[in-house]
Amino acid sequence: MIDTHCHLDNERYEDDLEAVINRAFAFGVDKIIIPGADTKDLAKAIAIAEKYPPIYFAVGAHPDEIAGFSVDFFRDFLSHPKCVAVGECGLDYYRLPPQEERQDYKNAQKEAFIAQIKLAIAFDKPLIVHIREASFDAFEILNHYPQARGVLHCFNADAILLGLSNRFYYGIGGVATFKNAKKIVEILPQIPKNRLLLETDAPYLSPHPYRGERNEPMRIPLIATKIAEILAIDVASLASLTTQNAYDLFGLAICE
């Protein structure tokens, strides 16, 4: 299985990173992708990917981390043999500022998102897209760039986003195991199976029964088991198809 979204460069792994990685491999995780969220962590992500052959990285700026953003900063890293994507980039309207500042806030996120979309298209890289409370705006932007492709990370179960399934994959993580995850449980069967990806978003969103604890990539099997249960298929089949999907999207075989 492949964890397509795991923040191994996060400070919460500083004291036991090697143990976290070894546990993941022991639990059947074959490869891990570190998304780019904050530019200050990029050097650490690259160092981890260079040290461990099964680990890859992406370059990008999370919508909450676009202060001082310049897309030119990423260009030199896109030719690195372990760089497989641009992102996580996107829109996040969960914590909006006061009304008088709101439009400027949204516009800044849109500009950074569009800049990263154009970068991904120029370098023929997939996008890792973060969307929170902003599905309509994100859908409109992605529709405007038909060459863009990638994954909708931590898919929020908004049906409008299923309209992107010809170009985008859907990252499913620990939220699918939550007792209140009615939306994702209902929409999962509507996602084409050749568009499903596994992810943890570790150290965040730890699956049940570890909700609230630091998440780790070793918990991918818990997520896979729940998804397989919802889709009424066996776990081995789900592992096989999601692994192939990850290879197809991120070109991992080419990287090896």
Side-chain angles (χ1 to χ4, degrees):
M1 289 174 281
I2 296 176
D3 187 349
T4 61
H5 198 106
C6 177
H7 298 273
L8 288 176
D9 53 352
N10 188 278
E11 62 184 8
R12 294 173 70 183
Y13 295 126
E14 283 182 357
D15 294 334
D16 62 345
L17 177 63
E18 186 149 353
V20 167
I21 292 170
N22 287 336
R23 279 195 292 271
F25 296 155
F27 274 75
V29 177
D30 187 49
K31 291 176 172 57
I32 299 169
I33 296 173
I34 305 172
D38 191 334
T39 54
K40 67 178 173 52
D41 296 324
L42 181 56
K44 190 189 303 183
I46 294 172
I48 295 169
E50 289 178 341
K51 181 176 180 180
Y52 299 93
I55 298 177
Y56 303 83
F57 73 93
V59 295
H62 185 285
D64 287 337
E65 303 291 346
I66 58 170
F69 168 79
S70 170
V71 75
D72 292 331
F73 174 80
F74 300 128
R75 291 183 184 276
D76 291 342
F77 302 103
L78 285 162
S79 59
H80 191 292
K82 301 298 286 291
C83 180
V84 296
V86 172
E88 66 181 288
C89 56
L91 304 176
D92 192 321
Y93 298 166
Y94 182 65
R95 296 182 182 89
L96 290 172
Q99 189 67 44
E100 61 271 16
E101 303 170 22
R102 196 161 292 179
Q103 197 55 53
D104 287 344
Y105 177 88
K106 289 183 176 182
N107 287 342
Q109 287 198 7
K110 289 177 183 179
E111 288 173 11
F113 185 26
I114 290 168
Q116 290 175 87
I117 292 171
K118 290 178 177 178
L119 185 70
I121 292 171
F123 283 82
D124 193 24
K125 296 281 188 183
L127 289 158
I128 299 173
V129 181
H130 172 106
I131 304 170
R132 191 176 190 188
E133 306 290 340
S135 293
F136 181 79
D137 282 359
F139 180 80
E140 289 230 307
I141 289 171
L142 291 170
N143 251 352
H144 191 71
Y145 295 93
Q147 292 171 276
R149 59 191 178 89
V151 54
L152 305 183
H153 147 65
C154 195
F155 177 48
N156 62 18
D158 281 349
I160 188 175
L161 298 175
L162 292 179
L164 298 169
S165 64
N166 61 323
R167 300 182 283 130
F168 282 83
Y169 292 70
Y170 299 82
I172 310 298
V175 172
T177 71
F178 294 175
K179 292 179 180 178
N180 60 348
K182 185 179 289 188
K183 279 182 68 179
I184 194 70
V185 169
E186 289 176 351
I187 208 166
L188 251 175
Q190 300 178 48
I191 301 172
K193 289 188 175 64
N194 66 345
R195 294 292 174 178
L196 284 171
L197 294 175
L198 298 176
E199 61 173 54
T200 58
D201 201 16
Y204 315 107
L205 297 176
S206 200
H208 177 80
Y210 302 101
R211 189 172 181 180
E213 298 181 15
R214 183 190 75 169
N215 200 5
E216 292 189 23
M218 72 171 182
R219 293 188 177 138
I220 277 284
L222 285 174
I223 296 165
T225 299
K226 183 62 179 180
I227 295 171
E229 175 190 317
I230 294 167
L231 297 179
I233 61 175
D234 61 87
V235 178
S237 296
L238 182 82
S240 178
L241 73 89
T242 54
T243 295
Q244 186 59 54
N245 293 346
Y247 271 75
D248 291 344
L249 176 62
F250 294 109
L252 298 184
I254 297 171
C255 298
E256 294 172 350

